[in-house]
Amino acid sequence: MVLTIDLAVLLAVVIYLLWRRRVQARSRLDTGLTMAVVLVFGVLIAPTAFGHGIMNAVSDVAQGISNVGAGP
């Protein structure tokens, strides 16, 4: 039996664990590592159907906000 794990799922777990930590002063290295992990996660999930769904939802929200700001 071979066990495989998707890298995007593994990074999602790491991100969850990083965000779940107690609020403490973070070093620049810790903040940079968190940003790098989130960036890699975004790159891995972007070409998937789930990533396209997120992109469509965010673009709809952004269009709604810009339409409200434009006024009548």
Side-chain angles (χ1 to χ4, degrees), residues 25-37:
R26 293 188 174 190
S27 67
R28 288 185 182 184
L29 179 64
D30 188 27
T31 304
L33 178 65
T34 302
M35 288 188 326
V37 168

Side-chain angles (χ1 to χ4, degrees), residues 11 13 20 23 36 46 56 61 63:
L11 284 177
V13 170
R20 194 171 164 253
V23 177
N56 290 337
V61 169
Q63 283 180 344

Side-chain angles (χ1 to χ4, degrees), residues 41-67:
F41 177 71
V43 168
L44 287 174
I45 203 157
T48 64
F50 180 68
H52 286 287
I54 291 173
M55 184 178 67
N56 290 337
V58 169
S59 66
D60 288 344
V61 169
Q63 283 180 344
I65 290 171
S66 65
N67 290 342

